[in-house]
Amino acid sequence: MQKALARARRWRFVWIPVLVFASLGLMAVRAFPTTYIERREAAQRVWSNQSLTSYRIVVRALFAGRACAQEIEVHGTRQYVLRDTCNSSWLSFLTVDRLFELGARLESGPECFPSKQDCVCHRVRIGSIEYDPAYGFPVTINWRREMQPNWQHAAYWKYIWEKRELPKCTTPVRPLRLEVVSLIPLEKDETSSLYHAAPPAGSN
């Protein structure tokens, strides 16, 4: 009996630290955001706390099989372009706000294709985002858009029944990678000699 009690005490001293560490581990997991939305919102709070209204940012973009870069200077709501080899309207000016906006596309669910009524396939975005631990802005954004069979929709099974074949839900994958090469804070009263994105009123 005494041996059994002694053995039970020894196991108690073993299990108590294990349970404590397990509880701490669960608390740590809860403390860190896990979803795209939670991570973005936490990063945006960090960025907002910086109160950086003026900065210069250089972003490298890789998409459509080519690489390009933008160098933008931001002063409040004004954006000045120093260099832009992307020449892409959908990228727009890659400021921090724009990077958050593009990264948020990973949060959206699958999109029906070819239409909501005929949702045989759906388009999804798969990727990852890394945020700067000090400033909060997105350092790298990686995502690709691809087509997948929509097994959960009745249109998928209707197509198979009527066509007697599997729908073609394969399209070329469209990867995108954005990398912040540098971000330099500027003084609020510092003026820019760069070309302004919107020409002044009355100019030709």
Side-chain angles (χ1 to χ4, degrees), residues 63-96:
F63 71 102
R66 69 188 187 98
C68 62
Q70 282 189 10
E71 186 169 359
I72 309 292
E73 191 167 300
V74 177
H75 289 273
T77 58
R78 291 178 174 269
Q79 302 167 1
Y80 301 84
V81 182
L82 176 61
R83 179 167 55 106
D84 182 7
T85 61
C86 295
N87 297 318
S88 175
S89 58
W90 77 271
L91 279 179
S92 187
F93 302 125
L94 295 173
T95 63
V96 171

PDB file of all heavy atoms in Angstrom, residues 63-96:
ATOM      1  N   PHE A  63       4.666  38.740 -61.335  1.00  0.00           N
ATOM      2  CA  PHE A  63       3.372  38.245 -61.795  1.00  0.00           C
ATOM      3  C   PHE A  63       3.402  38.144 -63.308  1.00  0.00           C
ATOM      4  O   PHE A  63       4.213  38.804 -63.974  1.00  0.00           O
ATOM      5  CB  PHE A  63       2.227  39.157 -61.340  1.00  0.00           C
ATOM      6  CG  PHE A  63       2.178  40.490 -62.048  1.00  0.00           C
ATOM      7  CD1 PHE A  63       1.261  40.721 -63.063  1.00  0.00           C
ATOM      8  CD2 PHE A  63       3.050  41.503 -61.701  1.00  0.00           C
ATOM      9  CE1 PHE A  63       1.218  41.942 -63.709  1.00  0.00           C
ATOM     10  CE2 PHE A  63       3.009  42.727 -62.346  1.00  0.00           C
ATOM     11  CZ  PHE A  63       2.086  42.948 -63.356  1.00  0.00           C
ATOM     12  N   ALA A  64       2.546  37.286 -63.833  1.00  0.00           N
ATOM     13  CA  ALA A  64       2.432  37.089 -65.280  1.00  0.00           C
ATOM     14  C   ALA A  64       3.781  36.770 -65.914  1.00  0.00           C
ATOM     15  O   ALA A  64       4.064  37.169 -67.043  1.00  0.00           O
ATOM     16  CB  ALA A  64       1.804  38.313 -65.945  1.00  0.00           C
ATOM     17  N   GLY A  65       4.619  36.062 -65.169  1.00  0.00           N
ATOM     18  CA  GLY A  65       5.908  35.630 -65.699  1.00  0.00           C
ATOM     19  C   GLY A  65       6.946  36.724 -65.830  1.00  0.00           C
ATOM     20  O   GLY A  65       7.951  36.564 -66.530  1.00  0.00           O
ATOM     21  N   ARG A  66       6.742  37.846 -65.182  1.00  0.00           N
ATOM     22  CA  ARG A  66       7.737  38.919 -65.258  1.00  0.00           C
ATOM     23  C   ARG A  66       7.909  39.590 -63.901  1.00  0.00           C
ATOM     24  O   ARG A  66       7.064  39.457 -63.011  1.00  0.00           O
ATOM     25  CB  ARG A  66       7.338  39.959 -66.305  1.00  0.00           C
ATOM     26  CG  ARG A  66       6.106  40.791 -65.938  1.00  0.00           C
ATOM     27  CD  ARG A  66       5.668  41.648 -67.105  1.00  0.00           C
ATOM     28  NE  ARG A  66       4.591  42.565 -66.743  1.00  0.00           N
ATOM     29  CZ  ARG A  66       4.784  43.832 -66.421  1.00  0.00           C
ATOM     30  NH1 ARG A  66       6.014  44.332 -66.391  1.00  0.00           N
ATOM     31  NH2 ARG A  66       3.765  44.614 -66.120  1.00  0.00           N
ATOM     32  N   ALA A  67       9.016  40.305 -63.775  1.00  0.00           N
ATOM     33  CA  ALA A  67       9.312  41.023 -62.538  1.00  0.00           C
ATOM     34  C   ALA A  67       9.347  42.519 -62.832  1.00  0.00           C
ATOM     35  O   ALA A  67       9.777  42.949 -63.910  1.00  0.00           O
ATOM     36  CB  ALA A  67      10.651  40.572 -61.965  1.00  0.00           C
ATOM     37  N   CYS A  68       8.868  43.294 -61.864  1.00  0.00           N
ATOM     38  CA  CYS A  68       8.870  44.743 -62.005  1.00  0.00           C
ATOM     39  C   CYS A  68       8.989  45.364 -60.622  1.00  0.00           C
ATOM     40  O   CYS A  68       9.029  44.645 -59.620  1.00  0.00           O
ATOM     41  CB  CYS A  68       7.603  45.231 -62.714  1.00  0.00           C
ATOM     42  SG  CYS A  68       6.071  44.861 -61.811  1.00  0.00           S
ATOM     43  N   ALA A  69       9.036  46.678 -60.552  1.00  0.00           N
ATOM     44  CA  ALA A  69       9.199  47.352 -59.257  1.00  0.00           C
ATOM     45  C   ALA A  69       8.509  48.700 -59.276  1.00  0.00           C
ATOM     46  O   ALA A  69       8.335  49.327 -60.325  1.00  0.00           O
ATOM     47  CB  ALA A  69      10.678  47.514 -58.927  1.00  0.00           C
ATOM     48  N   GLN A  70       8.115  49.131 -58.086  1.00  0.00           N
ATOM     49  CA  GLN A  70       7.556  50.465 -57.886  1.00  0.00           C
ATOM     50  C   GLN A  70       8.280  51.131 -56.723  1.00  0.00           C
ATOM     51  O   GLN A  70       8.574  50.472 -55.716  1.00  0.00           O
ATOM     52  CB  GLN A  70       6.065  50.407 -57.565  1.00  0.00           C
ATOM     53  CG  GLN A  70       5.161  50.164 -58.750  1.00  0.00           C
ATOM     54  CD  GLN A  70       3.699  50.334 -58.389  1.00  0.00           C
ATOM     55  OE1 GLN A  70       3.369  50.816 -57.303  1.00  0.00           O
ATOM     56  NE2 GLN A  70       2.816  49.943 -59.290  1.00  0.00           N
ATOM     57  N   GLU A  71       8.535  52.405 -56.880  1.00  0.00           N
ATOM     58  CA  GLU A  71       9.057  53.226 -55.777  1.00  0.00           C
ATOM     59  C   GLU A  71       8.095  54.391 -55.603  1.00  0.00           C
ATOM     60  O   GLU A  71       7.930  55.223 -56.494  1.00  0.00           O
ATOM     61  CB  GLU A  71      10.471  53.716 -56.067  1.00  0.00           C
ATOM     62  CG  GLU A  71      11.102  54.441 -54.892  1.00  0.00           C
ATOM     63  CD  GLU A  71      12.582  54.703 -55.079  1.00  0.00           C
ATOM     64  OE1 GLU A  71      13.127  54.309 -56.127  1.00  0.00           O
ATOM     65  OE2 GLU A  71      13.191  55.321 -54.173  1.00  0.00           O
ATOM     66  N   ILE A  72       7.439  54.427 -54.461  1.00  0.00           N
ATOM     67  CA  ILE A  72       6.381  55.404 -54.199  1.00  0.00           C
ATOM     68  C   ILE A  72       6.723  56.203 -52.957  1.00  0.00           C
ATOM     69  O   ILE A  72       7.247  55.660 -51.973  1.00  0.00           O
ATOM     70  CB  ILE A  72       5.024  54.693 -53.965  1.00  0.00           C
ATOM     71  CG1 ILE A  72       4.727  53.692 -55.084  1.00  0.00           C
ATOM     72  CG2 ILE A  72       3.894  55.707 -53.815  1.00  0.00           C
ATOM     73  CD1 ILE A  72       4.459  54.306 -56.412  1.00  0.00           C
ATOM     74  N   GLU A  73       6.421  57.494 -53.014  1.00  0.00           N
ATOM     75  CA  GLU A  73       6.552  58.328 -51.828  1.00  0.00           C
ATOM     76  C   GLU A  73       5.155  58.801 -51.429  1.00  0.00           C
ATOM     77  O   GLU A  73       4.391  59.298 -52.256  1.00  0.00           O
ATOM     78  CB  GLU A  73       7.461  59.522 -52.095  1.00  0.00           C
ATOM     79  CG  GLU A  73       7.838  60.277 -50.834  1.00  0.00           C
ATOM     80  CD  GLU A  73       8.985  61.250 -51.056  1.00  0.00           C
ATOM     81  OE1 GLU A  73      10.074  60.798 -51.446  1.00  0.00           O
ATOM     82  OE2 GLU A  73       8.765  62.458 -50.845  1.00  0.00           O
ATOM     83  N   VAL A  74       4.839  58.619 -50.164  1.00  0.00           N
ATOM     84  CA  VAL A  74       3.506  58.938 -49.652  1.00  0.00           C
ATOM     85  C   VAL A  74       3.605  60.085 -48.651  1.00  0.00           C
ATOM     86  O   VAL A  74       4.441  60.053 -47.737  1.00  0.00           O
ATOM     87  CB  VAL A  74       2.865  57.706 -48.977  1.00  0.00           C
ATOM     88  CG1 VAL A  74       1.510  58.063 -48.369  1.00  0.00           C
ATOM     89  CG2 VAL A  74       2.717  56.561 -49.979  1.00  0.00           C
ATOM     90  N   HIS A  75       2.750  61.088 -48.839  1.00  0.00           N
ATOM     91  CA  HIS A  75       2.618  62.188 -47.888  1.00  0.00           C
ATOM     92  C   HIS A  75       1.135  62.350 -47.591  1.00  0.00           C
ATOM     93  O   HIS A  75       0.408  63.001 -48.348  1.00  0.00           O
ATOM     94  CB  HIS A  75       3.189  63.497 -48.449  1.00  0.00           C
ATOM     95  CG  HIS A  75       4.686  63.509 -48.542  1.00  0.00           C
ATOM     96  ND1 HIS A  75       5.498  63.894 -47.498  1.00  0.00           N
ATOM     97  CD2 HIS A  75       5.504  63.138 -49.556  1.00  0.00           C
ATOM     98  CE1 HIS A  75       6.759  63.778 -47.865  1.00  0.00           C
ATOM     99  NE2 HIS A  75       6.795  63.328 -49.111  1.00  0.00           N
ATOM    100  N   GLY A  76       0.667  61.719 -46.526  1.00  0.00           N
ATOM    101  CA  GLY A  76      -0.754  61.771 -46.206  1.00  0.00           C
ATOM    102  C   GLY A  76      -1.564  61.078 -47.291  1.00  0.00           C
ATOM    103  O   GLY A  76      -1.377  59.897 -47.578  1.00  0.00           O
ATOM    104  N   THR A  77      -2.462  61.845 -47.932  1.00  0.00           N
ATOM    105  CA  THR A  77      -3.283  61.282 -49.003  1.00  0.00           C
ATOM    106  C   THR A  77      -2.639  61.441 -50.380  1.00  0.00           C
ATOM    107  O   THR A  77      -3.184  60.969 -51.378  1.00  0.00           O
ATOM    108  CB  THR A  77      -4.661  61.963 -49.025  1.00  0.00           C
ATOM    109  OG1 THR A  77      -4.480  63.382 -49.211  1.00  0.00           O
ATOM    110  CG2 THR A  77      -5.411  61.711 -47.724  1.00  0.00           C
ATOM    111  N   ARG A  78      -1.480  62.095 -50.439  1.00  0.00           N
ATOM    112  CA  ARG A  78      -0.800  62.308 -51.719  1.00  0.00           C
ATOM    113  C   ARG A  78       0.222  61.201 -51.968  1.00  0.00           C
ATOM    114  O   ARG A  78       0.927  60.790 -51.060  1.00  0.00           O
ATOM    115  CB  ARG A  78      -0.099  63.676 -51.745  1.00  0.00           C
ATOM    116  CG  ARG A  78      -1.063  64.847 -51.775  1.00  0.00           C
ATOM    117  CD  ARG A  78      -0.305  66.151 -51.743  1.00  0.00           C
ATOM    118  NE  ARG A  78      -1.198  67.295 -51.924  1.00  0.00           N
ATOM    119  CZ  ARG A  78      -1.498  67.833 -53.096  1.00  0.00           C
ATOM    120  NH1 ARG A  78      -0.976  67.324 -54.206  1.00  0.00           N
ATOM    121  NH2 ARG A  78      -2.317  68.860 -53.181  1.00  0.00           N
ATOM    122  N   GLN A  79       0.288  60.764 -53.233  1.00  0.00           N
ATOM    123  CA  GLN A  79       1.228  59.720 -53.633  1.00  0.00           C
ATOM    124  C   GLN A  79       2.086  60.238 -54.780  1.00  0.00           C
ATOM    125  O   GLN A  79       1.565  60.773 -55.760  1.00  0.00           O
ATOM    126  CB  GLN A  79       0.464  58.463 -54.061  1.00  0.00           C
ATOM    127  CG  GLN A  79      -0.439  57.902 -52.978  1.00  0.00           C
ATOM    128  CD  GLN A  79      -1.404  56.867 -53.512  1.00  0.00           C
ATOM    129  OE1 GLN A  79      -1.385  56.546 -54.692  1.00  0.00           O
ATOM    130  NE2 GLN A  79      -2.263  56.354 -52.639  1.00  0.00           N
ATOM    131  N   TYR A  80       3.385  60.086 -54.651  1.00  0.00           N
ATOM    132  CA  TYR A  80       4.334  60.530 -55.655  1.00  0.00           C
ATOM    133  C   TYR A  80       5.096  59.317 -56.187  1.00  0.00           C
ATOM    134  O   TYR A  80       5.545  58.481 -55.407  1.00  0.00           O
ATOM    135  CB  TYR A  80       5.312  61.549 -55.080  1.00  0.00           C
ATOM    136  CG  TYR A  80       4.656  62.792 -54.526  1.00  0.00           C
ATOM    137  CD1 TYR A  80       4.146  62.808 -53.233  1.00  0.00           C
ATOM    138  CD2 TYR A  80       4.533  63.936 -55.307  1.00  0.00           C
ATOM    139  CE1 TYR A  80       3.537  63.942 -52.723  1.00  0.00           C
ATOM    140  CE2 TYR A  80       3.934  65.083 -54.799  1.00  0.00           C
ATOM    141  CZ  TYR A  80       3.433  65.075 -53.505  1.00  0.00           C
ATOM    142  OH  TYR A  80       2.831  66.190 -53.001  1.00  0.00           O
ATOM    143  N   VAL A  81       5.205  59.229 -57.499  1.00  0.00           N
ATOM    144  CA  VAL A  81       5.833  58.074 -58.131  1.00  0.00           C
ATOM    145  C   VAL A  81       7.244  58.436 -58.573  1.00  0.00           C
ATOM    146  O   VAL A  81       7.436  59.352 -59.368  1.00  0.00           O
ATOM    147  CB  VAL A  81       5.019  57.598 -59.344  1.00  0.00           C
ATOM    148  CG1 VAL A  81       5.666  56.368 -59.971  1.00  0.00           C
ATOM    149  CG2 VAL A  81       3.588  57.295 -58.933  1.00  0.00           C
ATOM    150  N   LEU A  82       8.206  57.710 -58.063  1.00  0.00           N
ATOM    151  CA  LEU A  82       9.587  57.886 -58.500  1.00  0.00           C
ATOM    152  C   LEU A  82       9.906  56.924 -59.630  1.00  0.00           C
ATOM    153  O   LEU A  82      10.557  57.289 -60.604  1.00  0.00           O
ATOM    154  CB  LEU A  82      10.542  57.646 -57.330  1.00  0.00           C
ATOM    155  CG  LEU A  82      12.029  57.690 -57.655  1.00  0.00           C
ATOM    156  CD1 LEU A  82      12.422  59.060 -58.182  1.00  0.00           C
ATOM    157  CD2 LEU A  82      12.876  57.339 -56.437  1.00  0.00           C
ATOM    158  N   ARG A  83       9.429  55.698 -59.493  1.00  0.00           N
ATOM    159  CA  ARG A  83       9.739  54.678 -60.501  1.00  0.00           C
ATOM    160  C   ARG A  83       8.600  53.666 -60.546  1.00  0.00           C
ATOM    161  O   ARG A  83       8.079  53.260 -59.507  1.00  0.00           O
ATOM    162  CB  ARG A  83      11.057  53.983 -60.123  1.00  0.00           C
ATOM    163  CG  ARG A  83      11.504  52.868 -61.057  1.00  0.00           C
ATOM    164  CD  ARG A  83      12.947  52.488 -60.762  1.00  0.00           C
ATOM    165  NE  ARG A  83      13.141  52.147 -59.364  1.00  0.00           N
ATOM    166  CZ  ARG A  83      13.312  50.898 -58.909  1.00  0.00           C
ATOM    167  NH1 ARG A  83      13.283  49.883 -59.745  1.00  0.00           N
ATOM    168  NH2 ARG A  83      13.505  50.670 -57.624  1.00  0.00           N
ATOM    169  N   ASP A  84       8.229  53.271 -61.763  1.00  0.00           N
ATOM    170  CA  ASP A  84       7.185  52.262 -61.929  1.00  0.00           C
ATOM    171  C   ASP A  84       7.442  51.502 -63.222  1.00  0.00           C
ATOM    172  O   ASP A  84       7.168  52.000 -64.313  1.00  0.00           O
ATOM    173  CB  ASP A  84       5.795  52.901 -61.954  1.00  0.00           C
ATOM    174  CG  ASP A  84       4.683  51.861 -62.070  1.00  0.00           C
ATOM    175  OD1 ASP A  84       4.995  50.649 -62.000  1.00  0.00           O
ATOM    176  OD2 ASP A  84       3.521  52.255 -62.225  1.00  0.00           O
ATOM    177  N   THR A  85       7.985  50.297 -63.102  1.00  0.00           N
ATOM    178  CA  THR A  85       8.234  49.466 -64.277  1.00  0.00           C
ATOM    179  C   THR A  85       7.139  48.419 -64.463  1.00  0.00           C
ATOM    180  O   THR A  85       7.238  47.572 -65.350  1.00  0.00           O
ATOM    181  CB  THR A  85       9.602  48.760 -64.161  1.00  0.00           C
ATOM    182  OG1 THR A  85       9.605  47.911 -63.013  1.00  0.00           O
ATOM    183  CG2 THR A  85      10.723  49.777 -64.044  1.00  0.00           C
ATOM    184  N   CYS A  86       6.104  48.459 -63.591  1.00  0.00           N
ATOM    185  CA  CYS A  86       5.014  47.479 -63.688  1.00  0.00           C
ATOM    186  C   CYS A  86       3.999  47.859 -64.756  1.00  0.00           C
ATOM    187  O   CYS A  86       3.504  47.014 -65.499  1.00  0.00           O
ATOM    188  CB  CYS A  86       4.319  47.331 -62.336  1.00  0.00           C
ATOM    189  SG  CYS A  86       5.371  46.621 -61.035  1.00  0.00           S
ATOM    190  N   ASN A  87       3.644  49.156 -64.805  1.00  0.00           N
ATOM    191  CA  ASN A  87       2.674  49.647 -65.782  1.00  0.00           C
ATOM    192  C   ASN A  87       1.419  48.778 -65.796  1.00  0.00           C
ATOM    193  O   ASN A  87       0.939  48.338 -66.841  1.00  0.00           O
ATOM    194  CB  ASN A  87       3.296  49.679 -67.187  1.00  0.00           C
ATOM    195  CG  ASN A  87       4.457  50.639 -67.262  1.00  0.00           C
ATOM    196  OD1 ASN A  87       4.400  51.747 -66.723  1.00  0.00           O
ATOM    197  ND2 ASN A  87       5.541  50.228 -67.915  1.00  0.00           N
ATOM    198  N   SER A  88       0.893  48.517 -64.598  1.00  0.00           N
ATOM    199  CA  SER A  88      -0.292  47.677 -64.476  1.00  0.00           C
ATOM    200  C   SER A  88      -1.344  48.424 -63.674  1.00  0.00           C
ATOM    201  O   SER A  88      -1.116  48.795 -62.523  1.00  0.00           O
ATOM    202  CB  SER A  88       0.061  46.359 -63.781  1.00  0.00           C
ATOM    203  OG  SER A  88      -1.086  45.581 -63.546  1.00  0.00           O
ATOM    204  N   SER A  89      -2.517  48.622 -64.271  1.00  0.00           N
ATOM    205  CA  SER A  89      -3.564  49.392 -63.601  1.00  0.00           C
ATOM    206  C   SER A  89      -4.129  48.647 -62.401  1.00  0.00           C
ATOM    207  O   SER A  89      -4.533  49.259 -61.421  1.00  0.00           O
ATOM    208  CB  SER A  89      -4.683  49.722 -64.588  1.00  0.00           C
ATOM    209  OG  SER A  89      -5.221  48.521 -65.135  1.00  0.00           O
ATOM    210  N   TRP A  90      -4.191  47.310 -62.445  1.00  0.00           N
ATOM    211  CA  TRP A  90      -4.808  46.579 -61.348  1.00  0.00           C
ATOM    212  C   TRP A  90      -3.915  46.559 -60.112  1.00  0.00           C
ATOM    213  O   TRP A  90      -4.404  46.465 -58.991  1.00  0.00           O
ATOM    214  CB  TRP A  90      -5.181  45.160 -61.765  1.00  0.00           C
ATOM    215  CG  TRP A  90      -4.053  44.185 -61.831  1.00  0.00           C
ATOM    216  CD1 TRP A  90      -3.259  43.928 -62.902  1.00  0.00           C
ATOM    217  CD2 TRP A  90      -3.599  43.330 -60.785  1.00  0.00           C
ATOM    218  NE1 TRP A  90      -2.327  42.969 -62.589  1.00  0.00           N
ATOM    219  CE2 TRP A  90      -2.519  42.585 -61.288  1.00  0.00           C
ATOM    220  CE3 TRP A  90      -4.001  43.132 -59.459  1.00  0.00           C
ATOM    221  CZ2 TRP A  90      -1.836  41.650 -60.536  1.00  0.00           C
ATOM    222  CZ3 TRP A  90      -3.305  42.196 -58.706  1.00  0.00           C
ATOM    223  CH2 TRP A  90      -2.247  41.467 -59.238  1.00  0.00           C
ATOM    224  N   LEU A  91      -2.599  46.685 -60.299  1.00  0.00           N
ATOM    225  CA  LEU A  91      -1.716  46.792 -59.137  1.00  0.00           C
ATOM    226  C   LEU A  91      -1.859  48.164 -58.489  1.00  0.00           C
ATOM    227  O   LEU A  91      -1.702  48.310 -57.288  1.00  0.00           O
ATOM    228  CB  LEU A  91      -0.262  46.561 -59.544  1.00  0.00           C
ATOM    229  CG  LEU A  91       0.196  45.111 -59.693  1.00  0.00           C
ATOM    230  CD1 LEU A  91       1.652  45.061 -60.129  1.00  0.00           C
ATOM    231  CD2 LEU A  91       0.000  44.324 -58.413  1.00  0.00           C
ATOM    232  N   SER A  92      -2.121  49.181 -59.320  1.00  0.00           N
ATOM    233  CA  SER A  92      -2.231  50.550 -58.838  1.00  0.00           C
ATOM    234  C   SER A  92      -0.922  50.938 -58.157  1.00  0.00           C
ATOM    235  O   SER A  92       0.133  50.386 -58.453  1.00  0.00           O
ATOM    236  CB  SER A  92      -3.427  50.690 -57.897  1.00  0.00           C
ATOM    237  OG  SER A  92      -3.639  52.031 -57.553  1.00  0.00           O
ATOM    238  N   PHE A  93      -0.968  51.886 -57.233  1.00  0.00           N
ATOM    239  CA  PHE A  93       0.239  52.306 -56.530  1.00  0.00           C
ATOM    240  C   PHE A  93       0.390  51.473 -55.269  1.00  0.00           C
ATOM    241  O   PHE A  93      -0.487  51.457 -54.410  1.00  0.00           O
ATOM    242  CB  PHE A  93       0.183  53.794 -56.194  1.00  0.00           C
ATOM    243  CG  PHE A  93       0.022  54.662 -57.411  1.00  0.00           C
ATOM    244  CD1 PHE A  93      -1.015  55.560 -57.503  1.00  0.00           C
ATOM    245  CD2 PHE A  93       0.900  54.545 -58.472  1.00  0.00           C
ATOM    246  CE1 PHE A  93      -1.172  56.349 -58.640  1.00  0.00           C
ATOM    247  CE2 PHE A  93       0.754  55.322 -59.607  1.00  0.00           C
ATOM    248  CZ  PHE A  93      -0.283  56.228 -59.691  1.00  0.00           C
ATOM    249  N   LEU A  94       1.497  50.779 -55.152  1.00  0.00           N
ATOM    250  CA  LEU A  94       1.698  49.807 -54.075  1.00  0.00           C
ATOM    251  C   LEU A  94       2.138  50.489 -52.782  1.00  0.00           C
ATOM    252  O   LEU A  94       3.260  50.334 -52.313  1.00  0.00           O
ATOM    253  CB  LEU A  94       2.711  48.746 -54.518  1.00  0.00           C
ATOM    254  CG  LEU A  94       2.234  47.871 -55.687  1.00  0.00           C
ATOM    255  CD1 LEU A  94       3.341  46.955 -56.177  1.00  0.00           C
ATOM    256  CD2 LEU A  94       1.005  47.056 -55.273  1.00  0.00           C
ATOM    257  N   THR A  95       1.210  51.233 -52.201  1.00  0.00           N
ATOM    258  CA  THR A  95       1.423  51.809 -50.879  1.00  0.00           C
ATOM    259  C   THR A  95       1.108  50.739 -49.834  1.00  0.00           C
ATOM    260  O   THR A  95       0.661  49.639 -50.168  1.00  0.00           O
ATOM    261  CB  THR A  95       0.504  53.023 -50.675  1.00  0.00           C
ATOM    262  OG1 THR A  95      -0.862  52.563 -50.732  1.00  0.00           O
ATOM    263  CG2 THR A  95       0.724  54.073 -51.765  1.00  0.00           C
ATOM    264  N   VAL A  96       1.302  51.060 -48.573  1.00  0.00           N
ATOM    265  CA  VAL A  96       0.994  50.103 -47.509  1.00  0.00           C
ATOM    266  C   VAL A  96      -0.499  49.785 -47.513  1.00  0.00           C
ATOM    267  O   VAL A  96      -0.899  48.616 -47.373  1.00  0.00           O
ATOM    268  CB  VAL A  96       1.442  50.636 -46.137  1.00  0.00           C
ATOM    269  CG1 VAL A  96       0.918  49.741 -45.011  1.00  0.00           C
ATOM    270  CG2 VAL A  96       2.964  50.718 -46.067  1.00  0.00           C
TER     271      VAL A  96
END
